[in-house]
Amino acid sequence: MENQQGGRTALVTGCSRGIGRAIALGLARDGFDMVVNDIERQRADLEALAEEIRAMGRDCQALIADVSDRAQVHAMVDTVIARSGKIDAIVNNAGILIASTVENLTDEQWDAVMDVNAKGTFLVTQAILPHMRARGYGRVVNIASIGGKVGSPEQAHYAASKAAVLAFTRVLAQEVGEFGITANCVCPGIIVTEMGRTNLADQANVDKWVAATALRRLGQPEDVVGPACFLASDASAFMTGQSLNVCGGIVLN
Ligand code: NAD
């Protein structure tokens, strides 16, 4: 796949660490010039990632923006278009998880999770769509979750936000297909990241999730890279409105 995507530009949101970081490096390996994004708190890690990508011989812009803030999202997209002229692929990866039972869930927790996971995906996609449509080409890859299909206790709001991403993607695919744009989801299972650790508080939880997989192991960020890069490439040209479970066989369909 080396340099298969030469001349193309991809944006990954929330990618200073975890799954997004692995995907950004994977896309750069495939030949994409990169735009990497995260929030101010993650600036140092984001800059370090950008340096790593530049050392691979790719162009890379590191842009701070909160994906749940319309003005910041548009400023980011305007900056990319002014410099690169285009974005061929976006990976909406930024996400948060705040564990709470439904009984204890506050309005603020519900809104925070919805704002980043669901609204952030909408805002970034909406800002970039006119540019993709004008060129008759685009790949939208949304990182949802098997939580959006099944869900676990203390994650009703997170599951709802990811179900929203899945539904958003199915409708988006129907709206933009005629413009050469595909929209698909990746649904990770339990991946060992800062967020993933929420599900892995103690050995009993680790054992439970390992036993739930057909492959008898937890996922690593690198496990999500192949499916995400596939959906960002022309190898998936006739796929749209779909979701790929990348969960070691927790969810089978
Ligand atoms: P992570 O917490 O390590 O990384 C999430 C990144 O998103 C962080 O760098 C964070 O700073 C960034 N972010 C948060 N809010 C943001 C905002 N408003 N704007 C821009 N960036 C923001 O988590 P991860 O496990 O790497 O998660 C990546 C994606 O994968 C998320 O969408 C998550 O819901 C999804 N996912 C993760 C798992 C898992 O088990 N780890 C499972 C299913 C889905």
Side-chain angles (χ1 to χ4, degrees), residues 36-222:
V36 295
N37 153 266
D38 215 300
I39 48 179
E40 181 60 42
R41 189 186 64 207
Q42 294 295 114
R43 183 183 285 276
D45 287 352
L46 191 69
E47 296 287 355
L49 172 64
E51 276 307 313
E52 203 172 325
I53 290 172
R54 289 181 200 118
M56 296 163 73
R58 309 290 180 240
D59 187 50
C60 186
Q61 303 178 72
L63 297 176
I64 299 294
D66 177 339
V67 296
S68 67
D69 183 305
R70 175 176 287 275
Q72 291 185 37
V73 166
H74 279 265
M76 172 172 71
V77 171
D78 289 351
T79 303
V80 178
I81 297 299
R83 181 153 181 260
S84 308
K86 63 191 178 72
I87 299 179
D88 299 282
I90 55 174
V91 180
N92 284 303
N93 167 80
I96 60 171
L97 167 60
I98 307 166
S100 173
T101 60
V102 173
E103 277 200 3
N104 291 327
L105 189 59
T106 65
D107 290 8
E108 289 73 22
Q109 289 170 331
W110 172 273
D111 288 344
V113 169
M114 282 293 176
D115 278 356
V116 178
N117 298 3
K119 189 178 174 191
T121 297
F122 151 57
L123 289 176
V124 174
T125 304
Q126 187 188 49
I128 291 169
L129 272 185
H131 303 287
M132 289 182 163
R133 188 154 52 77
R135 296 177 53 246
Y137 183 86
R139 295 279 177 271
V140 179
V141 183
N142 293 331
I143 308 301
S145 170
I146 60 167
K149 298 181 173 179
V150 186
S152 307
E154 301 189 4
Q155 298 182 11
H157 48 324
Y158 178 83
S161 74
K162 294 299 188 178
V165 170
L166 286 161
F168 174 81
T169 307
R170 286 194 291 268
V171 176
L172 177 70
Q174 297 172 63
E175 289 185 2
V176 301
E178 64 182 298
F179 308 119
I181 303 168
T182 66
N184 293 287
C185 285
V186 175
C187 292
I190 306 296
I191 312 294
V192 181
T193 65
E194 293 295 315
M195 180 188 291
R197 283 185 240 287
T198 311
N199 296 301
L200 308 170
D202 51 35
Q203 194 57 43
N205 270 299
V206 172
D207 294 346
K208 180 189 88 175
W209 284 114
V210 169
T213 64
L215 294 175
R216 297 291 183 266
R217 69 172 179 86
L218 303 173
Q220 298 297 325
E222 192 62 34

Side-chain angles (χ1 to χ4, degrees), residues 233-248:
S233 79
D234 290 340
S236 60
F238 201 51
M239 281 181 68
T240 197
Q242 306 300 313
S243 65
L244 293 180
N245 300 329
V246 183
C247 61

